[in-house]
């Protein structure tokens, strides 16, 4: 009896020990909980960055923790635009540029384009010229502004001033370029590329350049196919090692913020503990209903750069002065509670959204955005993604400006088709800019009852067109139709925030205006954003919260 008991105890111990062993092994970050196989084994198999903690804050940005807020709550509707509908929205966490993109930041972009794609080469001429800001935006029929026309972009006195004269198309292209340059530097830092590889492109030592998407999908296509000789310390035993998304090294793309993100970041409710602010009653990016500082230090100082009255762009010299007449150097005023500068005043800013004067009452209440055009990578006959090595697609904007829609070495993209949309419930076409935008086609049963007369679109703005003839001469075509009813179309974009030219009325983060995406002004700039991948909050913030709770 005693021996039998001992056997039972021993067998139980062995069984428990085996379970314990399995539990310990499967809990290891380098052992799969699905199969029990090793991860990142030297022998081969599945490779994954099991040490990844959280997304690194991208260069030039600050972290904006997502949350809920009331979007579109305009405090003063003097103009009676009625182009906003207050809605409760939730925004995912993201990163946003600390300041507007400055002249020196944009000049770095222009210098890169000029060095890598010399404009004297006929194939590249319009790459550089298409990216140039319109410096003539400073001119006024009855004003002397030639100093800004000649100096504002390039003179070092204006280096840290926000870049202006950039249209929406140019701003998005800058963001795409910036994505590639940052990821190129990240791959160097992490040893996937040899040190100073990025400068070899600028110095002409390499024929090709770097594209993030091309690298991820076909790494042998970047740098003109010479990447084998550019491997960094990650290379093992003469075997090339390329970073993947699973490596955690490649950052998401820089882009323009959505209107919802921009408005949420400008309101900065993170620093507010007032219930009314949460319900959308915060008038400015700072606390209070006034534009002057009410604190003891700096009492009476203006909190933003804006037009204070007719003929008053800065106040009386050395008294009641906001320190600027045109734009101001970035960081001249206090940041909001997210650490973002000039979210009111200085320059208005482009956002990603297509403008519509109404907001659907059944809109998405999670990351709302109008402007989705879903694309996919073009696959060639060989089953690989198509790389636009020598092909540059140019577009002539309605104002005659020619811009490059891609740079050499990028991946060709095409609209999604029926193979992606068939029987889907979340989208059924590639271009969704006009989805439920208030026109007759937005009606649920429009297809059943519409006729030729009703098929007219609500948003039928004039169709101006500029194109080049066989001799290269610019031919401008004006729209002479008498049946246009709107200035709004799918190429009209939202811009937010007041500028140095605007009265305090426009400093309200909920205010919104629009401009065709090919136009530029002397009071509209932009800043970039980047989505956060992973947790809503930073890990260190979570730790602080747990400590406070204890």
């Amino acid at each position: 009896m005693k021996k039998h008991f001992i056997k039972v105890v021993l067998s139980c111990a062995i069984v428990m020990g085996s379970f314990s062993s399995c539990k310990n092994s499967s809990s290891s970050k380098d052992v799969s909980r699905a199969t029990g196989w090793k991860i990142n084994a030297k022998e081969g198999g599945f490779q994954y960055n099991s040490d990844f903690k959280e997304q690194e804050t991208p260069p030039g940005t600050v972290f904006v923790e997502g949350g809920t807020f009331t979007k579109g709550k305009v405090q003063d509707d003097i103009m009676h635009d009625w182009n906003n509908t207050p809605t409760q929205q939730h925004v995912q966490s993201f990163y946003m540029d600390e300041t507007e993109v400055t002249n020196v930041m944009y000049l770095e972009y222009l210098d890169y384009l000029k060095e890598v794609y010399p404009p004297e080469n006929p194939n590249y001429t319009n790459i550089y010229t298409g990216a140039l800001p319109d410096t003539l935006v400073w001119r006024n029929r009855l004003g002397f502004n030639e100093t800004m026309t000649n100096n504002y972009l390039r003179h070092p006195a204006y280096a840290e001033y926000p870049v202006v004269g950039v249209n929406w198309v140019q701003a998005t292209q800058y963001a795409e370029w910036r994505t590639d340059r940052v990821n190129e530097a990240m791959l160097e830092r992490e040893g996937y590329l040899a040190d100073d590889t990025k400068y070899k492109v600028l110095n002409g030592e390499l024929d090709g350049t770097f594209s993030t998407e091309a690298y991820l999908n076909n790494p042998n296509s970047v740098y003109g196919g010479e990447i084998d000789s550019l491997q960094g310390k990650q290379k093992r035993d003469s075997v090339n090692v390329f970073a993947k998304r699973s490596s955690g090294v490649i950052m998401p793309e820089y882009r323009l913020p959505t209107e919802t993100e921009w408005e949420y970041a400008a309101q900065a409710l993170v620093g507010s503990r007032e219930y009314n602010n949460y319900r959308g009653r915060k008038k400015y990016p700072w606390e209070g209903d006034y534009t002057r500082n009410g604190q003891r230090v700096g009492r009476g100082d203006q909190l933003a750069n804006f037009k204070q009255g007719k003929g008053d762009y800065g106040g009386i010299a050395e008294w009641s002065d906001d320190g600027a007449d045109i734009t101001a150097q970035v960081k001249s005023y206090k940041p909001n509670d997210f650490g973002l500068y000039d979210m009111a005043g200085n320059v208005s800013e482009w956002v990603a959204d297509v403008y519509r004067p109404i907001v659907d009452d059944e809109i998405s209440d999670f990351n709302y955005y109008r402007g989705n055009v879903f694309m996919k990578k073009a696959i060639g006959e060989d089953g690989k993604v198509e790389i636009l090595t020598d092909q540059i697609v140019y577009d002539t904007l309605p104002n005659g400006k020619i811009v490059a829609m891609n740079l050499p070495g990028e991946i060709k993209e095409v609209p999604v088709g029926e193979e992606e949309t068939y029987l889907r419930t979340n989208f059924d076409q590639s271009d969704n800019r006009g989805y439920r935008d208030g026109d007759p086609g937005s009606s649920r049963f429009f297809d059943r009852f519409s006729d030729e007369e009703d098929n007219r679109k609500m948003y039928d703005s004039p169709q101006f067109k500029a194109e080049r003839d066989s001799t290269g001469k610019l031919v401008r075509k004006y729209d002479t139709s008498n049946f246009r009813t709107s200035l709004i179309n799918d190429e009209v974009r939202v811009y937010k925030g007041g500028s140095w030219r605007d009265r305090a009325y426009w400093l309200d983060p909920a205010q919104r205006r629009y401009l065709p995406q090919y136009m530029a002004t002397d009071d509209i700039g932009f800043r970039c954003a980047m989505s956060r991948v992973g947790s809503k909050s930073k890990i260190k913030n979570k730790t602080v919260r747990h400590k406070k709770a204890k």
Side-chain angles (χ1 to χ4, degrees), residues 223-340:
Y223 297 123
E226 298 182 37
I227 195 170
D228 288 353
S229 62
L230 301 172
Q231 291 285 300
K233 60 186 178 183
Q234 291 284 355
K235 184 174 182 177
R236 305 190 199 99
D237 301 326
S238 73
V239 177
N240 293 336
V241 177
F242 302 117
K244 303 175 182 178
R245 291 201 192 276
S246 57
S247 304
V249 175
I250 302 294
M251 285 194 169
E253 70 278 2
Y254 282 90
R255 55 178 174 78
L256 291 181
T258 66
E259 180 180 4
T260 307
E261 286 174 334
W262 194 97
E263 189 172 324
Y264 173 80
Q267 284 195 14
L269 298 178
V270 64
S272 175
R273 293 296 179 266
E274 292 186 19
Y275 179 74
N276 280 339
N277 288 345
Y278 172 76
R279 300 300 298 172
R281 297 187 182 280
K282 189 175 181 183
K283 189 172 184 179
Y284 300 116
W286 52 83
E287 294 290 342
D289 296 328
Y290 305 99
T291 63
R292 292 187 182 276
N293 188 353
Q295 299 176 353
R296 176 176 296 180
V297 178
R299 186 185 298 274
D301 291 346
Q302 291 287 5
L303 296 172
N305 174 22
F306 64 100
K307 183 177 180 179
Q308 298 177 35
K310 185 173 178 61
D312 185 357
Y313 288 85
I316 300 173
E318 297 188 8
W319 180 81
S320 187
D321 187 17
D322 67 9
D325 39 27
I326 54 168
T327 55
Q329 182 171 316
V330 297
K331 297 188 178 182
S332 295
Y333 305 89
K334 291 182 178 180
N336 70 6
D337 289 323
F338 276 130
L340 299 167

Side-chain angles (χ1 to χ4, degrees), residues 74 115 182 210 226 233 266 271 290 420 423 443 462 466 468 494:
V74 178
E115 293 294 327
V182 169
F210 176 88
E226 298 182 37
K233 60 186 178 183
Y290 305 99
E420 286 85 15
L423 294 183
S443 172
R468 302 274 174 178
V494 178

Side-chain angles (χ1 to χ4, degrees), residues 32-44:
S32 168
R33 289 185 299 156
T35 63
W37 288 33
K38 289 182 180 179
I39 298 175
N40 303 321
K42 293 181 179 179
E43 299 79 7

Side-chain angles (χ1 to χ4, degrees), residues 48 88 171 203 206 224 275 294 317 372 422 437-438 441 490 499 505 544:
Y48 198 78
Q88 194 74 11
N203 297 333
L206 293 172
Y275 179 74
N372 281 315
Y422 180 63
D437 61 355
D490 289 342
S499 75
Y505 171 76
V544 170

